[in-house]
Amino acid sequence: MNAPANNLCIVDDDEAVRRSLGLLLLSRGYAVQTFASGEAFLADADLHRAGCVVLDLRMDGISGLQVLDALRAQDSPMVVIFLSGHGDIPIAIEAVQNGAFDWLEKPCNDERLLETIARALQKAGEIATRRQARKSAQALWAKLTPRETQVARLVAEGKPNKQIALELAPLEQRTVETHRAHVFAKLGLANSHQLDRFLREHGL
């Protein structure tokens, strides 16, 4: 089972709901943590590892929406599925528009719950992959010298060596060629198109 599937949480102040959902998910091979409040979840869960949280909208203490806001404020990779009562459906839909993955109405169908969690964990895995790729890209980018980063950005714009030398004057064209070669070698890229995509994909 992949890493996100090992970070699956249920947050609900109803003990019966926590027990029934926990047993269902455990029976399907998931590693599950349950929390009786949003405060306990935020204090004790691993919020900086990709995973999924099945979160009640209305609870004693802070609400599910406040928990979602806290996760967003921490840039947590946790994917949120809301559990809502019938009267909370408009709020749940708004929550999805504000970043939650999906919502399920109480009492929720077991198969729909399992299917939704499976999709949420797949998204969590994608988030983890993207973040790891960005972290690796940032590490490679940090290996460039300040002058190499200047040259790299201009190369990514498709500018020829002669023009780059003029823009970064006093800099000889041969020196630009050397910096260009170093950039491609350090980043493991072959051409300016790959470099442009590298910068865009990783927000550099």
Side-chain angles (χ1 to χ4, degrees):
M1 191 171 290
N2 60 26
N6 288 321
N7 194 21
L8 176 57
C9 302
I10 299 167
V11 183
D12 199 302
D13 58 3
D14 187 328
E15 183 179 357
V17 172
R18 293 197 308 275
R19 185 185 303 113
S20 63
L21 294 183
L23 289 174
L24 171 65
L25 294 169
L26 285 170
S27 73
R28 299 302 178 96
Y30 290 108
V32 184
Q33 290 180 284
T34 62
F35 300 89
S37 68
E39 291 90 340
F41 167 71
L42 293 174
D44 298 329
D46 187 352
L47 307 181
H48 299 291
R49 184 161 64 90
C52 172
V53 53
V54 180
L55 180 62
D56 191 16
L57 262 177
R58 295 186 183 274
M59 298 180 288
D60 293 335
I62 65 174
S63 70
L65 291 175
Q66 289 174 304
V67 174
L68 175 62
D69 288 341
L71 291 175
R72 292 174 63 188
Q74 296 185 46
D75 193 28
S76 171
M78 291 288 286
V79 177
V80 175
I81 299 170
F82 274 114
L83 287 178
S84 67
H86 180 72
D88 294 329
I89 289 176
I91 300 174
I93 293 174
E94 182 180 353
V96 170
Q97 294 172 341
N98 290 332
F101 178 75
D102 205 346
W103 61 272
L104 297 168
E105 187 178 351
K106 290 183 177 180
C108 58
N109 175 275
D110 287 354
E111 292 309 312
R112 186 183 175 198
L113 172 67
L114 292 166
E115 185 271 336
T116 303
I117 287 175
R119 288 190 293 110
L121 289 171
Q122 180 179 5
K123 181 177 180 181
E126 293 168 356
I127 291 172
T129 298
R130 286 198 302 271
R131 291 196 174 201
Q132 184 56 49
R134 177 172 293 186
K135 184 177 180 180
S136 298
Q138 291 171 339
L140 291 175
W141 185 252
K143 293 181 179 180
L144 302 184
T145 66
R147 178 63 86 184
E148 285 169 353
T149 61
Q150 288 180 310
V151 171
R153 295 192 185 282
L154 296 174
V155 169
E157 294 175 10
K159 294 181 178 179
N161 294 335
K162 184 176 181 180
Q163 184 176 349
I164 294 173
L166 290 173
E167 291 192 23
L168 298 180
L171 197 65
E172 295 183 359
Q173 184 172 331
R174 185 177 297 277
T175 303
V176 172
E177 293 171 356
T178 300
H179 286 318
R180 185 187 191 112
H182 288 168
V183 167
F184 287 150
K186 289 181 179 181
L187 299 181
L189 304 174
N191 54 53
S192 61
H193 297 296
Q194 290 183 1
L195 177 58
D196 179 58
R197 185 167 63 250
F198 176 89
L199 295 178
R200 291 177 184 275
E201 286 182 354
H202 302 299
L204 295 169

